[in-house]
């Protein structure tokens, strides 16, 4: 454990160097997260004549710009790395290192945070200028917001790690991840604010992890949740973090026993 902690600065420096070296590819990957802008154009047009629920045009602007920002900050790509390295056998190089592979993957993803912040800055500026009055001014909710973003990233990363570890048993874990993405689109609030769905969808979303990856931080930032509900749902979010960490470590331990790589 102590040895892994000592390796963290080096892992982060290497991860940042990789993100900078492949900055064009990284930039394209981040810019592909443009669905909130598409939905923003759609819903502001729908709300031009009259509000939809309690969402007017400015509310949709605040919601979808906040969604874009949170999505940029919580994205991860470990599922594709895991699937490829398990299939090609290159995972063996990671297993030889004195650091747990999941910790190394996490550092590589986190190390790109400065680039993510640089790309997210115009989004935040646009959000404040165009819909700043629709953001929460509650100091407690603002203080909780970074915690919800960190929790959202951890759920995203750990869920990818669990599904990616299935590549030890199945031909392609990415196909299973496509199913996960479909459910994410419905239950996270990524495409449509959850309160615009029928009530049973919102109730189901509060049980599943998808909302805590994205919708919960967004709703907190734009003032759709009060203090009591925010604290309660923060506890639920971090319970999901703990549960997925347990599942990821278990799936990795069981899968690594099956792993075999051959080379010349």
């Amino acid at each position: 454990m102590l040895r892994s902690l000592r390796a963290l600065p080096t892992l982060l420096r290497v991860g940042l160097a990789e993100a900078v070296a492949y900055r064009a590819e990284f930039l394209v990957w981040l810019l592909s997260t443009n669905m909130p802008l598409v939905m923003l154009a759609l819903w502001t047009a729908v709300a031009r004549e009259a509000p939809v629920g309690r969402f007017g045009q400015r509310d949709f602007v605040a919601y979808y710009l906040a969604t874009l920002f949170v999505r940029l900050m919580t994205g991860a790509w470990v599922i594709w790395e895991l699937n490829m390295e398990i299939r090609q056998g290159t995972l063996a190089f990671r297993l030889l290192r004195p650091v747990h592979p999941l910790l190394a993957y996490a550092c590589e993803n986190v190390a790109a945070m400065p680039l993510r912040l640089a790309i997210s800055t115009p989004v935040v500026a646009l959000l404040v200028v165009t819909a700043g009055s629709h953001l929460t001014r509650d100091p407690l909710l603002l203080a909780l917001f970074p915690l919800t973003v960190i929790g959202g990233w951890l759920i995203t990363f750990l869920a990818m790690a669990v599904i990616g570890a299935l590549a030890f048993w199945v031909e392609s874990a990415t196909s299973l991840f496509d199913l996960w993405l479909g459910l994410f689109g419905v239950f996270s609030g990524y495409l449509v604010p959850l309160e615009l769905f029928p009530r049973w969808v919102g109730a189901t979303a509060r049980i599943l992890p998808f909302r805590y990856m994205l919708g919960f931080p967004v709703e907190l930032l734009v003032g759709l949740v009060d203090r009591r509900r925010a604290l309660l749902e923060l506890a639920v979010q971090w319970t999901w973090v703990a549960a997925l960490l347990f599942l990821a470590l278990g799936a990795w331990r069981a899968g690594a026993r099956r792993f075999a790589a051959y080379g010349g």
Side-chain angles (χ1 to χ4, degrees), residues 92-230:
F93 296 111
R94 289 187 185 270
L95 295 176
L96 293 174
R97 297 172 185 167
V99 176
H100 196 290
L102 289 183
L103 179 60
Y105 285 126
C107 288
E108 290 170 7
N109 282 239
V110 169
M113 199 56 73
L115 292 180
R116 293 181 188 217
L117 284 171
I119 294 171
S120 301
T121 298
V123 177
V124 174
L126 188 62
L127 174 62
V128 171
V129 170
T130 60
S133 61
H134 290 252
L135 303 180
T136 183
R137 297 179 187 279
D138 188 316
L140 176 62
L141 297 184
L142 289 174
L144 292 179
F145 178 66
L147 281 178
T148 64
V149 173
I150 294 171
W153 181 82
L154 283 169
I155 292 176
T156 301
F157 176 84
L158 292 170
M160 283 188 171
V162 172
I163 298 172
L166 296 179
F168 287 114
W169 291 275
V170 301
E171 183 66 25
S172 175
T174 54
S175 299
L176 296 173
F177 187 65
D178 289 339
L179 175 61
W180 173 273
L181 281 181
L183 295 172
F184 171 83
V186 175
F187 291 107
S188 69
Y190 183 54
L191 300 178
V192 180
L194 285 169
E195 69 176 57
L196 299 184
F197 279 113
R199 186 170 297 179
W200 69 267
V201 175
T204 305
R206 288 189 175 83
I207 300 171
L208 299 174
F210 307 104
R211 177 171 175 272
Y212 301 98
M213 298 163 64
L214 182 83
F216 172 48
V218 171
E219 291 172 14
L220 188 147
L221 183 61
V222 299
L224 296 179
V225 294
D226 57 28
R227 284 188 169 195
R228 180 178 171 278
R229 190 172 143 197

